Amino acid sequence: MTHLRLRNSVLDLMISPSHGGGIISFEAFGEPVLKPAPDPISRLTDPSAFVLLPYCNRIAHGGAKFGNQTIQLTPTLPGETHALHGEGWIAGWTVEKQSDTATVLSFRHSPTTGRWPWAFEASQRYELIDGGMVHTVQIQNVSEKPMPVGLGFHPYFPRKSGDQFIAQVGGRWNVSTDLLPTDHERGGSEDYWPERQLPVDVSLDNCFTEWDGKLLIERENMCVSLTASDELGLLHVYAPIGADFFCAEPVSHMPDALNRLGEPDQMQVLQPGETFKASIRYLVEKSAR
């Protein structure tokens, strides 16, 4: 399937239904808002952004229990020990509606061996607005049993020295060497990104808590504001040392939540027929710096 293109006088958005309904490129004023995907796309992690559903981040070794149901998922990526990011980003999505400035995609999941053991239906809506873009995702439990669920967004942003990263948080989940949560610590933005810059000598792959739902990225030529809906109270930041990108992922629950049921930041539980919805909004302006 060919890519979809949405555009107005300022913004240009390319989407690939066959690659998780993900973003291939997102530009404003002729400059990239998100890190462009390579052409051709050869890896699941290549798109500029994709959705996370029905869970976010990792499930340890793909295994967990929920009530009397046992979950055993096949690790998503080659060489990856854990199941990662859910089903939506590895699936092909169907185009339901399309205009010059908006599109709606859908996906239906049916359980198979090694995949999520509940049936669900999901949709994504992309809409260009004045100065920005709104991305909405919804999931519905169409199985006959209660289903745990999480939603999130996984954008890749370009990273250059001097870029400002402004987000207010109240703590983070520390992680083990295989990137599973170990303990929660209290801390603020000044502890994790001093002077409003992501650290250059420390890699981050952590879920930050008590996020206020707002992120501001100030570059030399562009200011990008991301605002998340109330369902997305956590910000997962992936910023490898020396990379020309970072990920700032609004998510609804902590990593490996199903194996840490006594902790806060848990998944939602949908009864049969119930839905869960979340959205993010990008606003883009030329920088005054």
Side-chain angles (χ1 to χ4, degrees):
M1 180 179 290
T2 58
H3 299 338
L4 305 178
R5 187 175 189 180
L6 308 181
R7 55 182 169 175
N8 59 24
S9 60
V10 172
L11 304 173
D12 195 326
L13 177 68
M14 295 286 287
I15 301 159
S16 177
S18 60
H19 295 95
I23 296 173
I24 303 304
S25 66
F26 181 26
E27 295 183 350
F29 314 108
E31 299 286 339
V33 177
L34 299 179
K35 184 178 184 293
D39 184 16
I41 292 175
S42 60
R43 300 178 302 173
L44 288 172
T45 54
D46 280 347
S48 304
F50 47 83
V51 294
L52 310 176
L53 63 88
Y55 63 89
C56 307
N57 205 263
R58 290 166 174 81
I59 295 179
H61 307 288
K65 288 189 176 181
F66 178 77
N68 61 0
Q69 188 130 3
T70 298
I71 301 169
Q72 190 57 60
L73 308 176
T74 301
T76 315
L77 297 176
E80 172 70 52
T81 304
H82 314 299
L84 183 66
H85 294 335
E87 304 288 348
W89 73 310
I90 64 176
W93 290 63
T94 300
V95 180
E96 298 290 348
K97 298 179 182 180
Q98 167 106 41
S99 71
D100 290 342
T101 59
T103 191
V104 176
L105 311 178
S106 68
F107 163 61
R108 182 181 177 96
H109 170 75
S110 298
T112 57
T113 301
R115 310 300 342 151
W116 193 247
W118 291 270
F120 65 84
E121 293 181 352
S123 66
Q124 297 185 63
R125 176 180 172 85
Y126 292 95
E127 182 181 10
L128 299 186
I129 58 174
D130 186 22
M133 185 264 286
V134 178
H135 189 183
T136 302
V137 63
Q138 179 173 291
I139 187 168
Q140 181 181 30
N141 179 7
V142 297
S143 71
E144 297 179 352
K145 297 180 180 180
M147 177 180 78
V149 69
L151 294 176
F153 298 83
H154 194 298
Y156 288 80
F157 293 95
R159 182 178 182 180
K160 292 184 179 180
S161 177
D163 289 352
Q164 300 283 291
F165 182 92
I166 303 167
Q168 300 301 316
V169 297
R172 76 174 181 186
W173 286 99
N174 293 319
V175 294
S176 61
T177 54
D178 60 349
L179 302 175
L180 296 175
T182 55
D183 64 286
H184 184 267
E185 69 173 28
R186 302 288 301 174
S189 305
E190 65 280 359
D191 300 307
Y192 304 125
W193 31 88
E195 300 181 0
R196 297 181 169 184
Q197 293 191 350
L198 293 172
V200 297
D201 55 350
V202 176
S203 287
L204 296 179
D205 198 343
N206 300 85
C207 185
F208 292 87
T209 60
E210 298 178 41
W211 179 45
D212 67 0
K214 298 178 181 179
L215 169 64
L216 183 63
I217 301 165
E218 292 187 349
R219 305 175 188 156
E220 183 178 1
N221 59 347
M222 184 184 296
C223 181
V224 181
S225 174
L226 185 153
T227 303
S229 61
D230 291 342
E231 296 81 6
L232 307 172
L234 305 169
L235 183 67
H236 196 107
V237 179
Y238 173 50
I241 293 175
D244 63 353
F245 70 88
F246 68 90
C247 299
E249 308 161 35
V251 295
S252 66
H253 65 84
M254 67 178 291
D256 200 29
L258 287 176
N259 287 307
R260 301 182 66 98
L261 293 179
E263 305 285 2
D265 307 323
Q266 281 298 308
M267 300 177 74
Q268 302 289 316
V269 178
L270 297 184
Q271 298 300 316
E274 288 187 335
T275 62
F276 184 45
K277 182 178 180 179
S279 64
I280 57 174
R281 181 184 63 184
Y282 299 87
L283 291 178
V284 187
E285 300 176 297
K286 289 187 176 181
S287 178
R289 292 172 61 187

